[in-house]
Amino acid sequence: MNAALTLVSDQDPVLSYLYEARKHHTQAAIAKHLGVGIRTISRWEARQTSPPAYLAHALQQLLPFGEESPEGAFDFIDLFAGIGGLRKAFEQIGGRCVFSSEWDTYAQKTYAENFRDGHPIAGDITQVQAADIPDHDVLLAGFPCQPFSIAGVSKKNALGKAHGFACETQGTLFFDVARIIETKRPRAFLLENVKNLVSHDKGRTFDVIRRTLTEVLGYHIHYRVIDGAHFVPQHRERILIVGFREPMAFDFDALPLPPKGQRTLKDILHRTDGSEPVLPWDESRFFDHKKQRQLDKYTLTDHLWLYLQNYAAKHRAKGNGFGFGLVKSGDVTRTLSARYYKDGSEILVYQGTRKNPRRLTPRECARLMGYPDTFRIPVSDTRAYQLFSQAAVVPMVEYAAKLMVSQLNLGEKASEAVEVPKDIMAKGLWTKEQVKLAFYLYCQLPYGRIYGRNPEIIALAKVISRTPDAVAMKMLNIASLDPAITSTGRVGLGNASALDREVWDEFHSDWERLAVECQLLRQQLDKNTVGDLEQEDDELVPDDFTGETRQVLTTQRIKQHFFRRAVLSSYRGRCCMSGLSEPRLLVASHIVPWSKDKANRLNPSNGLCLSAIHDRAFDKGLITLTDDFKIVVSEELKRKNETFIIEVLLPLNGRTIEPPERFAPQAEFIAWHRKELFVDNRK
């Protein structure tokens, strides 16, 4: 039976998890799990001291959650699991792991220490019958790349004998992935491998994989090589292969990749200014908190440092590029390799001219791969280096997972058209589809641009056989239902019909479905209309407010496009904190992250128009809002002695944001952000 989390009012969330954990475990058991003393638990419960925020995840593991999937969740299996990088990414978007397989005993130990869900870890997947694996929605596999033997295929062809994927892949571990997919028929899969899989054996290996997945198993696949440097300070190129049982509107471009170099080495190195977190599970294995520095054993000996310098010099003389990689805090590293424990040569941290460089510590390697500090490292340094070098970059996989889950949750298929209602061109009373299209456009136009001469209104009027003035009047009637409009004394035309109210309510109950439906309907109508429906309107503030695209958009692009236009138009194309109006620097920022609230992912009242820098600060909880929309700057930022922060961010404190013309931020969203994301409330 699942435990219902009872939040203790006005307390740190960690205390709430402790409160629930004590219903099921003794103080001694909790203390052992956290690596602290029983007296420490007693002091926390007596409110004499507060538990660190990073213990929330560890305390969650003590609660009997996970027996049932929450609404909208999905089940997945984790093959060739390693230390759980793929699993961690998919759990972070709401998935539940129902089966794990990993043969390496050190990886098993690390996996079991970090994922305590009760189900055993299967060892050699080649010995597991596919029928014995639980049913699942998604299959995850970071299978090793092995040569694919295709010998004998030509001979079988000559003899007229049939041969399937087992003939081409027998003896490789991909065969086990294929046989499980064939038996269990999951809705989707994600396969992760090295970049060279594409070119391995002159492309024949990847060709066998592609043909097996598509021609033999009948899945629709998408693949891309992505550099981990988009997410972590490490160049690490990996291929991600995404497959769906049914055709889906999947597009790797639907979510923009973060710019490379945004994360640098300083983000993962141990902090020597006193802010390095004390992790009870690490004890003093990697960092000396008294001396505020990593342990001396990670600094290279004089002998090893001299050897590496001579080795690099020898190859430079030959014109080769071999040698060590010396990095500073502002750099991005080379790829962490399995041989890192030997000399650490590919990633050596510069420590000044008077001190030899050093290796990364295993904790820093965990951070380099995108693992949180709650991730435990129960093996030796040597084994830890090997395990992290073979792991997946967690935020990179999460990027693909977010794209996949939108398909899994909504069951959307790739669609280039929808059926056009027969009465869409009716000239009498407005039909429901006509009102939907009017509301859809209303959300995306600045209020001051709702009039009959607007080219976008003219275009819509043409496809639904209404006059532009009639469409503009309908949109102003819809405006009379918008509290953000009426609260300022503007009432629109005030003649909203029962149908207008019905459409208003329907959108607010299911933004995603209606946005996609209206966009696809509009595209189909545009195809059936003669003439140029998309004229440029230079008077609209941001450049991307003008016109609708003719091409068939993927589902994700439709959502992204709608939310951005709706939010930016509501705020008149200006950052509500700084007033910046350059569209290339503006972001439609979610108040409650899209992964946390499916129902309001496209709700414009869950959005703020922010500059890129303000969006980043808001998203990371460094700034938040009060219920009356005043900006609150965190104490963490106030302590920073940096010119940019002092001049740009600190003056925001206490300032009221510029209110939107429509779709005012809902108080419940602001309260959630303040409670769950704002760093001052997470301490």
Side-chain angles (χ1 to χ4, degrees):
M1 184 175 183
N2 287 349
L5 181 61
T6 304
L7 290 178
V8 182
S9 61
D10 300 323
Q11 279 194 313
D12 187 282
V14 184
L15 286 177
S16 298
Y17 289 121
L18 177 61
Y19 174 81
E20 292 296 325
R22 286 288 283 118
K23 294 179 181 179
H24 308 280
H25 304 278
T26 64
Q27 285 185 335
I30 295 174
K32 183 179 179 180
H33 175 70
L34 299 179
V36 300
I38 296 177
R39 290 185 179 180
T40 300
I41 303 295
S42 297
R43 286 194 293 270
W44 291 344
E45 290 188 320
R47 312 297 189 264
Q48 295 173 354
T49 59
S50 298
Y54 58 75
L55 290 180
H57 177 74
L59 285 167
Q60 287 174 8
Q61 294 179 330
L62 292 173
L63 305 183
F65 293 161
E67 296 176 9
E68 299 177 6
S69 295
E71 183 180 356
F74 55 93
D75 291 343
F76 65 88
I77 65 171
D78 195 12
L79 307 181
F80 311 100
I83 59 175
L86 300 182
R87 172 173 176 164
K88 182 163 284 292
F90 274 78
E91 281 188 338
Q92 289 176 182
I93 61 165
R96 181 184 69 165
C97 184
V98 295
F99 177 84
S100 305
S101 173
E102 171 56 46
W103 70 274
D104 183 271
T105 55
Y106 297 99
Q108 286 181 347
K109 181 178 181 180
T110 305
Y111 192 96
E113 182 71 17
N114 287 280
F115 303 102
R116 305 183 182 190
D117 51 19
H119 72 252
I121 303 173
D124 186 354
I125 191 62
T126 65
Q127 303 304 310
V128 177
Q129 296 296 318
D132 294 335
I133 295 175
D135 292 338
H136 50 278
D137 299 300
V138 183
L139 177 147
L140 309 178
F143 67 96
C145 174
Q146 297 172 296
F148 278 53
S149 174
I150 58 174
V153 174
S154 297
K155 181 178 179 180
K156 288 191 176 186
N157 280 333
L159 295 174
K161 294 183 178 181
H163 59 87
F165 72 85
C167 288
E168 294 188 84
T169 63
Q170 191 83 50
T172 73
L173 293 174
F174 175 73
F175 165 77
D176 295 286
V177 175
R179 68 180 175 85
I180 293 170
I181 292 176
E182 182 184 43
T183 302
K184 305 304 294 188
R185 302 298 296 172
R187 295 169 64 189
F189 58 75
L190 173 71
L191 311 181
E192 186 259 3
N193 214 298
V194 296
K195 170 189 176 182
N196 290 340
L197 180 68
V198 178
S199 57
H200 185 272
D201 194 20
K202 298 182 179 180
R204 286 189 285 267
T205 296
F206 188 73
D207 184 58
V208 171
I209 291 175
R210 182 191 59 77
R211 287 190 291 106
T212 299
L213 295 174
T214 58
E215 299 174 14
V216 179
L217 298 177
Y219 277 72
H220 305 266
I221 70 169
H222 313 261
Y223 56 89
R224 171 164 295 181
V225 173
I226 301 178
D227 190 347
H230 289 287
F231 306 92
V232 295
Q234 175 189 190
H235 287 298
R236 189 180 187 87
E237 293 184 301
R238 291 294 184 268
I239 185 172
L240 300 180
I241 306 172
V242 172
F244 294 97
R245 190 176 59 203
E246 306 294 338
M248 293 286 180
F250 182 86
D251 184 359
F252 272 112
D253 289 328
L255 281 179
L257 287 167
K260 289 185 182 181
Q262 196 171 41
R263 298 289 305 278
T264 59
L265 204 59
K266 70 177 183 298
D267 297 319
I268 65 100
L269 294 178
H270 290 297
R271 296 186 282 277
T272 58
D273 60 357
S275 61
E276 177 68 15
V278 178
L279 306 177
W281 38 85
D282 282 0
E283 298 178 334
S284 57
R285 286 181 58 192
F286 315 124
F287 190 81
D288 187 332
H289 283 274
K290 292 182 179 179
K291 297 180 180 179
Q292 290 300 316
R293 69 186 188 195
Q294 73 287 331
L295 302 189
D296 292 336
K297 68 178 183 178
Y298 297 108
T299 297
L300 300 189
T301 64
D302 292 340
H303 177 75
L304 179 55
W305 179 222
L306 180 61
Y307 166 78
L308 292 176
Q309 291 179 90
N310 290 338
Y311 181 82
K314 179 179 70 175
H315 280 283
R316 276 198 305 270
K318 294 180 179 180
N320 298 329
F322 302 117
F324 58 83
L326 195 62
V327 289
K328 299 181 180 180
S329 62
D331 294 334
V332 174
T333 74
R334 297 178 183 177
T335 301
L336 182 69
S337 74
R339 66 180 300 280
Y340 189 69
Y341 71 94
K342 293 183 177 180
D343 55 30
S345 60
E346 68 261 30
I347 306 173
L348 293 177
V349 182
Y350 180 73
Q351 298 191 99
T353 57
R354 297 184 179 183
K355 192 173 184 179
N356 295 345
R358 68 173 179 89
R359 296 182 181 91
L360 297 171
T361 70
R363 174 55 61 195
E364 290 170 328
C365 288
R367 295 170 178 172
L368 190 66
M369 300 301 296
Y371 288 80
D373 281 352
T374 52
F375 192 86
R376 302 185 179 216
I377 308 173
V379 295
S380 68
D381 285 6
T382 296
R383 296 297 180 182
Y385 288 137
Q386 292 173 332
L387 293 175
F388 284 119
S389 72
Q390 297 163 355
V393 175
V394 176
M396 181 171 75
V397 178
E398 188 177 359
Y399 157 83
K402 288 177 180 178
L403 292 172
M404 292 178 67
V405 79
S406 65
Q407 308 297 322
L408 296 173
N409 284 348
L410 301 178
E412 294 163 350
K413 298 183 178 181
S415 177
E416 295 187 1
V418 293
E419 184 178 354
V420 179
K422 295 180 180 179
D423 60 352
I424 192 68
M425 303 290 282
K427 296 183 180 181
L429 294 175
W430 280 72
T431 67
K432 189 171 185 178
E433 283 71 24
Q434 290 175 338
V435 176
K436 284 181 180 179
L437 290 175
F439 181 88
Y440 184 63
L441 183 56
Y442 164 81
C443 293
Q444 300 177 71
L445 291 180
Y447 183 80
R449 297 293 297 158
I450 299 177
Y451 49 76
R453 301 186 310 280
N454 186 312
E456 289 195 74
I457 291 178
I458 293 173
L460 175 60
K462 187 172 183 179
V463 298
I464 64 174
S465 193
R466 296 280 178 181
T467 67
D469 286 340
V471 173
M473 290 176 64
K474 174 56 67 176
M475 293 168 69
L476 291 174
N477 285 334
I478 291 171
S480 69
L481 302 174
D482 194 332
I485 296 292
T486 57
S487 64
T488 62
R490 295 172 297 176
V491 293
L493 290 180
N495 294 318
S497 66
L499 182 58
D500 297 340
R501 295 179 185 276
E502 180 182 342
V503 170
W504 176 277
D505 292 340
E506 190 172 338
F507 261 91
H508 280 75
S509 64
D510 196 345
W511 285 96
E512 291 201 12
R513 181 180 66 82
L514 270 298
V516 173
E517 176 186 317
C518 287
Q519 179 61 35
L520 294 177
L521 176 59
R522 180 61 194 274
Q523 288 172 195
Q524 187 66 13
L525 288 170
D526 286 349
K527 288 181 180 180
N528 296 338
T529 303
V530 179
D532 184 7
L533 303 178
E534 301 165 2
Q535 303 176 34
E536 291 294 320
D537 184 356
D538 296 332
E539 296 179 49
L540 293 176
V541 182
D543 294 339
D544 63 354
F545 277 11
T546 57
E548 295 285 339
T549 177
R550 286 184 180 275
Q551 68 181 29
V552 176
L553 301 175
T554 65
T555 300
Q556 296 97 327
R557 281 192 178 279
I558 292 173
K559 297 173 186 175
Q560 182 184 21
H561 182 71
F562 171 78
F563 185 73
R564 176 176 171 80
R565 288 199 77 194
V567 172
L568 266 63
S569 66
S570 292
Y571 286 87
R572 298 169 296 278
R574 293 184 178 276
C575 170
C576 65
M577 294 185 181
S578 67
L580 178 73
S581 62
E582 169 51 60
R584 290 168 294 186
L585 298 177
L586 294 179
V587 176
S589 181
H590 283 86
I591 301 171
V592 178
W594 74 273
S595 61
K596 300 294 184 182
D597 189 348
K598 173 186 173 183
N600 289 294
R601 289 175 182 172
L602 300 192
N603 184 348
S605 292
N606 187 30
L608 298 173
C609 180
L610 298 174
S611 76
I613 187 66
H614 294 84
D615 166 70
R616 187 70 173 173
F618 188 77
D619 183 58
K620 294 300 180 182
L622 295 172
I623 57 177
T624 190
L625 297 176
T626 63
D627 288 339
D628 55 353
F629 307 126
K630 286 185 170 57
I631 302 168
V632 181
V633 176
S634 68
E635 295 300 320
E636 185 175 326
L637 276 185
K638 290 177 182 178
R639 291 193 296 267
K640 299 289 185 181
N641 188 25
E642 296 182 19
T643 302
F644 180 84
I645 293 176
I646 293 172
E647 294 181 354
V648 177
L649 296 180
L650 295 191
L652 295 174
N653 196 51
R655 182 186 302 173
T656 303
I657 66 169
E658 185 68 25
E661 289 186 312
R662 296 161 301 160
F663 302 118
Q666 290 184 18
E668 62 188 271
F669 300 148
I670 297 295
W672 187 97
H673 183 276
R674 194 168 55 246
K675 179 180 179 182
E676 302 294 335
L677 286 186
F678 189 46
V679 294
D680 285 2
N681 293 332
R682 287 191 282 159
K683 295 181 179 179

